[in-house]
Amino acid sequence: MSPTITAFAQSPDRGRGLARDMRVRWALEEVGQPYEVRLLSFAEMKEPAHRALHPFGQIPTYEEGDLALFESGAIVFHIAQRHAGLLPDDPNARARAIAWMFAALATVEPPIVDRTIAALVERDRPWCAERLPLVEDRIRDRLGELSSRLGEAEWLDGAFSAGDLLMTHVLLRLRGSGLLDEYPSLSAYVARGEARPAYQRAFAAQLAVFTGDPPAG
Ligand code: GTB
């Protein structure tokens, strides 16, 4: 039985793949697992039926038989554990790939989300002009450190892993801010992730929700 995930019926990003269902779709595509999607309005996300799956009334969720999960990182981890292709077999390499999953979500993503809040939600506040550069400098610190660690490598630790998948998706949210362009090796890293056929399929599927056109193929 195919798992079912939830996604925005009307994503605020207009199909640019920035909502967090995209990372789950990408993981499922990487491992070749077909899936169903249940689209939700903002109102439906807050209804009891959905809150039973997701205590915070958000997307994405994941249902597979009698298992229901929320939190995109936990969902990607579950997919990576169940299928080959997203985590190495060697126990130490696997532990390091999992560390990169946590790094993406716990160390790199928070200041990036903060920037979105500062730039969009708080932009009319009198202190926004002072706060935004501070948040952006915190992002630069992380990007500089990440770029140093990546060096000339293709991926963060050997072969492409769930750590790279999450890190790439987290970094994609900076597109358009100009910040990623300051780190050419990270821009190239993100471009490598986007060029993966599984990413392309996932992107097309979520874009089709916005355009109303079924994805080609
Ligand atoms: N930590 C959770 C996870 O990783 O799954 C966070 C889940 C989350 O933030 N979900 C968002 C949501 O449901 C969608 S992804 N929001 C509705 C609500 O809280 O009521 C965040 C997101 C939304 C939109 C864009 N965008 O338009 O660019 C990007 C990211």
Side-chain angles (χ1 to χ4, degrees), residues 158-205:
F160 177 83
S161 77
D164 294 296
L165 185 152
L166 290 176
M167 191 66 81
T168 301
H169 191 247
V170 161
L171 295 177
L172 270 166
R173 197 151 169 182
L174 289 174
R175 178 154 290 157
S177 71
L179 287 167
L180 201 55
D181 306 324
E182 295 174 22
Y183 302 86
S185 70
L186 293 183
S187 294
Y189 170 73
V190 167
R192 277 194 291 280
E194 288 178 293
R196 292 178 72 83
Y199 178 94
Q200 298 285 323
R201 289 192 296 273
F203 186 87

Side-chain angles (χ1 to χ4, degrees), residues 14-31:
R14 304 165 67 87
R16 287 189 300 140
L18 299 177
R20 289 182 176 89
D21 60 293
M22 175 64 198
R23 48 185 75 163
V24 174
R25 292 173 185 269
W26 185 7
L28 289 163
E29 292 287 354
E30 287 284 348
V31 302

